Amino acid sequence: MVSSGSAQQELAIVNDWLDETKHLPNAVRDEDTMSSSSVGMSDLSDEILLCILRHVPVCDLMVNVANVCHKLHTLCHDKTLLTSVSLSEEYQADDLMVRQILKQLSNQVQSLSLNGCYWLSGSTMELLARCRGVTHLDVTGCRITSLRLSRLLSSLSLLRSLAFDVTPGFNSAQLSSEAVDSLSRLLELRQTLLTPSYGVVPCCAQLRKLMLQFDIPDVTREGIGVCCQLMVGQSSVPHYQQLEEFTARLAPGEVNQTLLLLYLAVFSVHVPKRLRVFLVSIPGPNPAHWPAAPSLAQSLGLRGDLEALQLPRSWLDSLSLKRALEGNSPKHLSFSRCPALWPQVFLSLLEGGVKDATQLISLNLSGINQVLYSECRSADDQLVPGTMSRLAVGCSNIKHLNLMHTHYHHENSPGLSAETHLCASLAKFRHLHSLTLPVCALSDGLNTHQISANNTSPSALFLGLKKTPRVGLQNYKPDSDSSLSRDSTSGLCQLLAGCHVLQTLELIGPGFISAMPRLEPCSRVSVEPRGMCAWARGIGDSHLAALEALPRLRRLTLAGLPGVLRGTGLVQLTTQCKDLRVLSLANIGSLKTMNYNSALLETLKQCTQLQELRLEQPYLNANASFFEALSCCPHLQRLCLISRSGTFDPVATEAFMERCCHVIMCHMFMGGTLVACRTLQKTLLDRFSFARSALSVVIYPLHHEDLPSVIRDIPLTLLDRITLFQSHVAQPPHLSPL
């Protein structure tokens, strides 16, 4: 048995060696390559080498490492490495490479994922039929037509799990009898619906898991309304007798909601006896009503094996929720924007309403105490530290917690101990891997300057005048950061000390709404104006700097932080958080100027492991200095810039794309003319598409009337990840972005 420390040391050594081998000619198969290496690869056992090779992407494994020497060639073809293969986000894998890999995998692979491989040709998809031993296949986002799917299914008789897109023009009548026979044996199905259809669901009589994503626009490109009436006339309807898990994630639009209700019609008559997961996510404040929801909730609670639950706010009342949770030990719960359920949620979790609260892994309480800004928010509408402390003790194994769109206003009064701070309560969640918080939750209280500033403008709003809020730093003085007390980050420091294993952190300002929302466009009607929350305005650079205490941080989102003046905290945190892979920044500091530009450039120079950058700021200047700093991120793959009045330098953009050869997605929604945007987009595509088959370049004026149709052409796998500033923390895994 090899110790973990020894294995980790060997892994680090060999990773360096593997990086060097990528530069060796593919024809090199000299056994002496290993013996002559100073790393001592020949001294490692096959077991250790196989453990190491599991960390190598399959493309590198088959194309580079396997060609180094005979020993590695043999190990790279070991069935333990090739049984389950994923090519998702293997952006360097063009058609030729994938065909070579499929040829070598065809006799061994059992689970194959090409999720999001939108750039592969239809002819490459045809070759999947050679992998006759495949039991799990994911081709979401790939070019799969009805006829192509029919040919695949006819060859894959062992298939038990399938994921694919139902695109316009899909016709289940084109499926062959062999394909229908394969579908009848499916146990798991995930469909992304881009057109009104049942897809292949009526053919799948043995389904245990059904996962649906609805992404159908209400209007076609030609301006014709889309309807679901044709579906009603279909002879076959879904039947879920064996169903155990049902999940549905909707994009905005009435068509999507209407189609969902058609899928759910069977539940009104019969609820599957084994159903233990029911997750439905509908954006917006007014989801379509479904009368059968209470009876469904009651049925879910009968067997005592409920695993995950999420229902829209209007589908569930407190009594139904109580019955659904009683006697169960759920692992995933989501009550996003369900303020009416707030008391019952905590009663069930804290007062014995569930069988075993320690089984809970993921909890989404986003907006659960949300009160519209036009109403007077009281202390009862805020998170209570004592309640969260009890929740941390009772649900001690929570790994993912989402508290976005909530409020907590700490009163820094004499006699109150630090233990009363919400952050002190959250620090008791020792196993947290991902956390989303409202910015105001980090505040240690208001100082005199903040109180006086807060009392100058909101009164008119609360009187119902709905006066347009001023933006920028009108409530700030140049020394506002220094006016905070020295221990102004004491609450945050308690949180960081307790949750030291955090890998994903999202801090969202209460007034933030992206200029390009996608899944929640209706939230604009209920979001409060920027700057309304004085506690949120007090969060500045010192708080960002304190985040350096999270060395394992890999994903960071900061959105709607008006109190960040210079951005020096960003520089300090990235100095210590060396493994940061995803960085999302939106509406930081003033909205009238880019007041943290210098700090941003220094920050980017330190993010050497960054793979994804999302940046939204009204006055972003993507000039030569910006792209020069961004070029210090050699692993960058995905870039999205959103700026209403922003500018860009075409020459600097092209030079950046040349230096950062791994960038396959460059989306820039800026100011400027349509001609300038289209010219740069064409230049980048013409120059780099040949070497980067997965390249997606979209450069367009942010407020052009044709922007919605342009966005519709972006592959969903990129659109969900990049162009949205929204939280995915504590979304049950079934509802995570594809």
Side-chain angles (χ1 to χ4, degrees):
M1 179 68 68
V2 180
S3 67
S4 60
S6 174
Q8 291 176 357
Q9 184 178 11
E10 289 177 334
L11 177 59
I13 294 173
V14 179
N15 276 340
D16 294 337
W17 179 81
L18 289 175
D19 287 338
E20 296 178 3
T21 64
K22 294 179 182 180
H23 304 289
L24 295 176
N26 287 344
V28 175
R29 288 177 177 270
D30 187 2
E31 189 74 33
D32 293 336
T33 304
M34 292 179 65
S35 58
S36 63
S37 172
S38 60
V39 178
M41 284 287 293
S42 59
D43 297 328
L44 299 177
S45 65
D46 289 354
E47 290 76 11
I48 292 297
L49 285 173
L50 286 173
C51 181
I52 294 169
L53 293 175
R54 289 192 187 99
H55 296 267
V56 180
V58 66
C59 291
D60 284 333
L61 197 70
M62 306 302 292
V63 176
N64 295 316
V65 181
N67 291 324
V68 171
C69 65
H70 289 297
K71 182 174 183 178
L72 284 179
H73 181 267
T74 301
L75 290 177
C76 286
H77 288 82
D78 189 273
K79 64 179 181 180
T80 60
L81 298 180
L82 304 182
T83 301
S84 180
V85 172
S86 175
L87 293 175
S88 297
E89 297 189 15
E90 294 286 344
Y91 299 120
Q92 76 276 18
D94 57 15
D95 281 298
L96 179 60
M97 183 183 295
V98 171
R99 290 172 184 173
Q100 293 175 347
I101 292 174
L102 290 177
K103 183 178 180 180
Q104 300 180 63
L105 295 178
S106 58
N107 295 325
Q108 302 183 62
V109 64
Q110 297 178 13
S111 177
L112 179 60
S113 174
L114 282 79
N115 187 318
C117 294
Y118 52 86
W119 62 91
L120 296 179
S121 66
S123 58
T124 299
M125 293 294 104
E126 298 276 3
L127 297 179
L128 296 176
R130 296 179 178 179
C131 305
R132 296 183 180 274
V134 165
T135 59
H136 293 70
L137 178 64
D138 188 349
V139 288
T140 302
C142 299
R143 299 174 184 178
I144 299 294
T145 62
S146 305
L147 292 175
R148 190 167 290 137
L149 179 65
S150 179
R151 288 191 286 268
L152 285 178
L153 293 174
S154 298
S155 301
L156 306 179
S157 59
L158 300 179
L159 197 64
R160 296 296 179 268
S161 176
L162 173 66
F164 77 108
D165 294 348
V166 179
T167 56
F170 181 86
N171 185 0
S172 59
Q174 295 179 335
L175 300 176
S176 66
S177 58
E178 293 85 357
V180 173
D181 189 49
S182 292
L183 289 171
S184 68
R185 293 188 292 270
L186 276 189
L187 302 179
E188 300 180 7
L189 174 65
R190 183 171 68 196
Q191 290 186 157
T192 301
L193 297 158
L194 305 177
T195 188
S197 173
Y198 283 131
V200 299
V201 173
C203 303
C204 306
Q206 302 298 321
L207 278 185
R208 303 291 192 274
K209 298 181 181 179
L210 177 58
M211 294 153 278
L212 303 170
Q213 179 172 352
F214 299 81
D215 209 294
I216 308 164
D218 286 341
V219 181
T220 66
R221 298 179 188 278
E222 295 76 23
I224 303 173
V226 179
C227 68
C228 300
Q229 293 180 354
L230 292 178
M231 287 192 57
V232 179
Q234 293 185 5
S235 59
S236 297
V237 296
H239 40 81
Y240 310 126
Q241 287 88 344
Q242 308 297 324
L243 202 64
E244 298 176 7
E245 301 184 12
F246 179 90
T247 68
R249 176 172 176 250
L250 279 67
E254 293 184 6
V255 171
N256 291 314
Q257 297 195 38
T258 302
L259 182 55
L260 171 65
L261 295 182
L262 289 174
Y263 270 87
L264 293 177
V266 178
F267 286 98
S268 301
V269 179
H270 170 73
V271 177
K273 295 181 179 180
R274 298 180 180 179
L275 192 65
R276 53 188 173 83
V277 171
F278 194 86
L279 302 164
V280 174
S281 174
I282 301 179
N286 299 307
H289 181 60
W290 188 45
S295 61
L296 170 72
Q298 185 172 354
S299 299
L300 289 172
L302 295 179
R303 288 174 50 86
D305 60 352
L306 178 66
E307 182 177 320
L309 178 65
Q310 176 177 4
L311 292 176
R313 59 191 296 172
S314 62
W315 288 18
L316 202 60
D317 54 36
S318 296
L319 180 59
S320 300
L321 176 61
K322 178 183 178 182
R323 292 173 176 173
L325 297 181
E326 234 168 11
N328 286 281
S329 303
K331 295 181 180 179
H332 309 281
L333 292 175
S334 179
F335 304 105
S336 178
R337 299 188 184 276
C338 298
L341 300 180
W342 186 12
Q344 186 59 52
V345 169
F346 289 105
L347 280 176
S348 295
L349 294 177
L350 301 178
E351 304 294 340
V354 297
K355 183 178 180 180
D356 184 4
T358 62
Q359 296 295 314
L360 193 61
I361 296 174
S362 173
L363 181 61
N364 188 347
L365 300 178
S366 172
I368 199 167
N369 68 342
Q370 186 182 37
V371 177
L372 298 183
Y373 70 84
S374 58
E375 304 173 18
C376 294
R377 183 180 289 115
S378 67
D380 294 335
D381 302 317
Q382 300 179 28
L383 296 173
V384 180
T387 303
M388 297 306 294
S389 289
R390 294 180 60 198
L391 193 64
V393 174
C395 306
S396 55
N397 292 314
I398 287 182
K399 294 182 179 180
H400 313 285
L401 179 63
N402 192 329
L403 298 175
M404 187 173 70
H405 296 311
T406 61
H407 274 271
Y408 169 70
H409 296 164
H410 186 70
E411 297 294 343
N412 193 6
S413 304
L416 290 179
S417 67
E419 295 296 322
T420 63
H421 200 291
L422 177 66
C423 287
S425 302
L426 296 176
K428 299 176 183 178
F429 290 98
R430 301 293 183 181
H431 303 292
L432 275 184
H433 287 185
S434 59
L435 174 65
T436 298
L437 284 178
V439 173
C440 57
L442 306 184
S443 174
D444 285 349
L446 301 181
N447 57 32
T448 304
H449 167 72
Q450 291 169 321
I451 293 174
S452 61
N454 188 44
N455 289 335
T456 58
S457 59
S459 57
L461 286 166
F462 287 120
L463 289 175
L465 299 181
K466 304 292 181 67
K467 176 178 164 184
T468 303
R470 296 172 61 195
V471 297
L473 298 175
Q474 71 277 7
N475 291 330
Y476 287 90
K477 296 180 179 179
D479 62 343
S480 59
D481 257 7
S482 60
S483 67
L484 299 177
S485 60
R486 179 173 299 181
D487 62 346
S488 63
T489 63
S490 60
L492 175 58
C493 290
Q494 292 181 77
L495 170 64
L496 301 178
C499 304
H500 58 279
V501 297
L502 268 179
Q503 298 178 7
T504 299
L505 178 63
E506 298 177 342
L507 301 177
I508 314 292
F512 172 74
I513 185 70
S514 173
M516 288 186 62
R518 181 173 126 77
L519 292 187
E520 296 199 25
C522 302
S523 61
R524 290 182 181 275
V525 300
S526 59
V527 72
E528 62 189 71
R530 173 182 165 94
M532 275 287 294
C533 179
W535 282 260
R537 295 202 308 269
I539 304 305
D541 285 307
S542 59
H543 296 83
L544 300 188
L547 300 181
E548 67 177 356
L550 297 174
R552 302 186 186 184
L553 195 64
R554 296 169 66 93
R555 306 174 67 92
L556 175 63
T557 296
L558 303 172
L561 277 71
V564 176
L565 299 184
R566 295 179 297 275
T568 53
L570 282 173
V571 181
Q572 187 167 337
L573 80 88
T574 51
T575 301
Q576 300 300 322
C577 301
K578 297 293 187 180
D579 204 28
L580 197 63
R581 305 296 176 90
V582 177
L583 179 61
S584 301
L585 303 174
N587 291 5
I588 305 297
S590 172
L591 298 185
K592 290 186 174 181
T593 182
M594 185 75 174
N595 58 353
Y596 71 106
N597 187 68
S598 298
L600 175 64
L601 301 186
E602 288 300 315
T603 297
L604 294 176
K605 293 176 182 178
Q606 298 180 148
C607 296
T608 57
Q609 300 301 314
L610 197 66
Q611 296 178 358
E612 180 175 309
L613 175 65
R614 299 177 288 185
L615 183 58
E616 177 172 350
Q617 201 75 23
Y619 289 91
L620 172 65
N621 184 7
N623 55 16
S625 298
F626 172 80
F627 282 112
E628 183 179 352
L630 196 57
S631 299
C632 297
C633 307
H635 301 289
L636 191 69
Q637 296 178 337
R638 298 173 293 271
L639 171 67
C640 180
L641 305 180
I642 303 173
S643 182
R644 178 183 294 107
S645 303
T647 59
F648 59 85
D649 184 333
V651 176
T653 307
E654 186 175 356
F656 154 74
M657 289 292 289
E658 182 177 11
R659 288 193 294 266
C660 293
C661 58
H662 295 295
V663 174
I664 57 88
M665 206 212 77
C666 179
H667 290 178
M668 296 167 54
F669 305 98
M670 313 277 284
T673 65
L674 180 60
V675 172
C677 291
R678 283 181 170 175
T679 300
L680 178 57
Q681 176 176 306
K682 184 178 185 301
T683 299
L684 297 182
L685 288 173
D686 290 346
R687 181 171 179 185
F688 300 107
S689 289
F690 180 78
R692 309 178 200 181
S693 55
L695 184 63
S696 171
V697 177
V698 180
I699 303 176
Y700 218 78
L702 180 57
H703 290 295
H704 194 279
E705 59 182 6
D706 292 334
L707 182 60
S709 62
V710 172
I711 293 177
R712 194 181 300 179
D713 291 332
I714 299 175
L716 279 180
T717 185
L718 296 179
L719 189 60
D720 276 345
R721 294 195 54 167
I722 284 293
T723 61
L724 319 175
F725 282 91
Q726 62 172 35
S727 173
H728 292 297
V729 167
Q731 290 285 0
H734 316 75
L735 293 179
S736 298
L738 298 179

